[in-house]
Amino acid sequence: MAEGLMKHLHGQRAYVQSAGVRNDMEIDGFSVAVCRELGIELSRHRSRSFQEMQDWGDDLGQFDLIVALSPASQRLALELTRQSHVEVVYWPITDPTAIGESRESKLAAYRQARDQIRARIVDRFGPGTRDQA
């Protein structure tokens, strides 16, 4: 979700890559739905793990910034970049995956997480050229 929001707001101004502690491959359908509400298409997006990025030749030390959205990803990012000068920041957001029973309550939780991530992006990088939400 964060990668899609960043690309939506800032286009090609920055290289953005989404990764996590583990590979879930398919993007959560609720993430797809709440991003589509803002005109952001995630249905073809695939997530990867930090390990996969390294296996595929991505050097995490070449990135300027890693934004961790969970304590586990923050710990792993710090461990994997301890020999480089990459800035690792932690943005605590609501984890929507375990919130809500009904479809509407789950969508509300995902909207909250989406909006928290979007606000953090705008605070850090500015509103961008495509900010219309």
Side-chain angles (χ1 to χ4, degrees), residues 69-130:
L69 299 179
S70 73
S73 63
Q74 179 190 27
R75 282 189 301 275
L76 184 56
L78 287 169
E79 178 184 320
L80 294 172
T81 61
R82 68 182 176 274
Q83 302 289 329
S84 55
H85 297 285
V86 177
E87 180 183 3
V88 177
V89 296
Y90 173 51
W91 291 352
I93 62 157
T94 302
D95 178 2
T97 59
I99 298 175
E101 296 291 322
S102 70
R103 175 174 170 72
E104 281 310 309
S105 62
K106 286 187 176 295
L107 284 170
Y110 276 79
R111 286 181 189 113
Q112 179 183 15
R114 175 201 65 198
D115 294 345
Q116 288 173 347
I117 294 168
R118 185 182 167 284
R120 293 278 191 157
I121 290 170
V122 169
D123 286 347
R124 174 83 188 220
F125 303 105
T129 57
R130 301 179 187 185

Side-chain angles (χ1 to χ4, degrees), residues 17-102:
Q17 181 64 58
S18 180
V21 174
R22 63 185 180 278
N23 172 0
D24 296 324
M25 283 306 282
E26 297 293 324
I27 297 300
D28 184 297
F30 290 110
S31 293
V32 172
V34 299
C35 284
R36 189 175 292 136
E37 294 172 351
L38 299 181
I40 302 167
E41 187 55 52
L42 294 183
S43 63
R44 284 177 258 123
H45 183 79
R46 297 292 177 260
S47 65
R48 58 203 53 81
S49 68
F50 285 123
Q51 184 61 52
E52 282 177 312
M53 287 181 65
Q54 290 182 313
D55 291 347
W56 295 346
D58 283 329
D59 178 2
L60 296 178
Q62 298 297 316
F63 287 87
D64 297 316
L65 173 70
I66 295 176
V67 175
L69 299 179
S70 73
S73 63
Q74 179 190 27
R75 282 189 301 275
L76 184 56
L78 287 169
E79 178 184 320
L80 294 172
T81 61
R82 68 182 176 274
Q83 302 289 329
S84 55
H85 297 285
V86 177
E87 180 183 3
V88 177
V89 296
Y90 173 51
W91 291 352
I93 62 157
T94 302
D95 178 2
T97 59
I99 298 175
E101 296 291 322
S102 70

